[in-house]
Amino acid sequence: NVSYFFRADTSVFHDIYGKTNDKITERFQSPDPEKMSSINVKVSVIKVGQHYVVDLILESGALVRRMEVKGDHCKFDFLSAGAYRLRILEDANGNGIQDMGDFVKKILPERVLNVGGVGAESVIHLREGWDIEQEVKLNELFK
């Protein structure tokens, strides 16, 4: 909950075309840590040698954060109050992104599924100061 002030004079920053910035003056305040929330995703029944990536997305569909599952959980800290969804990628090659497959090599696309389906039951409503634990059983999700 600290106020910050950022100022950059003219021509401090240059882009790849050689253009420079105008004078920048911005004030902003960091959020109060007491009002921030977290979601701890506990993952069970992980296939040996399989990699998983969890996406935290807003209810509107915008990606907030992406995190690889290390061990049996991943934690999303410092979240604002709001409505979120979880999406899990079964990352076969461990590169951290969804691969679309290859028709010629007969490789299927990597599977991505929403936790809890696509309806209202999949939405996680997060309030200020909440710490939520969400359990995901991968053997039920990726049948």
Side-chain angles (χ1 to χ4, degrees):
N1 202 15
V2 177
S3 295
Y4 291 93
F5 180 74
F6 176 78
R7 181 176 53 200
D9 289 328
T10 306
S11 301
V12 172
F13 301 108
H14 301 272
D15 67 9
I16 60 173
Y17 303 108
K19 294 183 181 179
T20 59
N21 66 294
D22 294 333
K23 186 175 182 179
I24 302 170
T25 304
E26 283 292 326
R27 288 185 182 273
F28 57 94
Q29 186 168 351
S30 65
D32 183 2
E34 297 295 321
K35 294 183 178 181
M36 301 307 287
S37 302
S38 67
I39 299 174
N40 187 21
V41 182
K42 291 196 153 234
V43 180
S44 61
V45 194
I46 296 176
K47 294 178 188 173
V48 177
Q50 183 66 48
H51 300 276
Y52 296 95
V53 177
V54 179
D55 290 339
L56 181 67
I57 54 179
L58 292 173
E59 190 176 20
S60 64
L63 179 66
V64 177
R65 286 191 211 145
R66 171 173 280 168
M67 190 175 296
E68 186 177 341
V69 176
K70 302 279 187 186
D72 62 349
H73 75 282
C74 60
K75 188 170 185 179
F76 297 98
D77 287 322
F78 302 108
L79 300 173
S80 300
Y84 297 92
R85 294 179 191 267
L86 293 173
R87 181 173 59 199
I88 298 189
L89 162 66
E90 190 176 45
D91 191 15
N93 59 3
N95 66 353
I97 59 173
Q98 182 185 14
D99 295 311
M100 295 295 133
D102 189 333
F103 181 76
V104 175
K105 295 179 182 178
K106 298 182 181 179
I107 299 172
L108 294 173
E110 293 175 331
R111 297 188 295 172
V112 178
L113 296 173
N114 293 320
V115 175
V118 292
E121 66 275 358
S122 67
V123 177
I124 300 169
H125 295 282
L126 200 58
R127 293 193 178 176
E128 288 183 356
W130 279 17
D131 293 324
I132 292 180
E133 192 168 289
Q134 179 76 36
E135 186 175 350
V136 178
K137 295 180 181 175
L138 294 174
N139 63 336
E140 293 177 10
L141 191 62
F142 292 102
K143 290 181 181 178

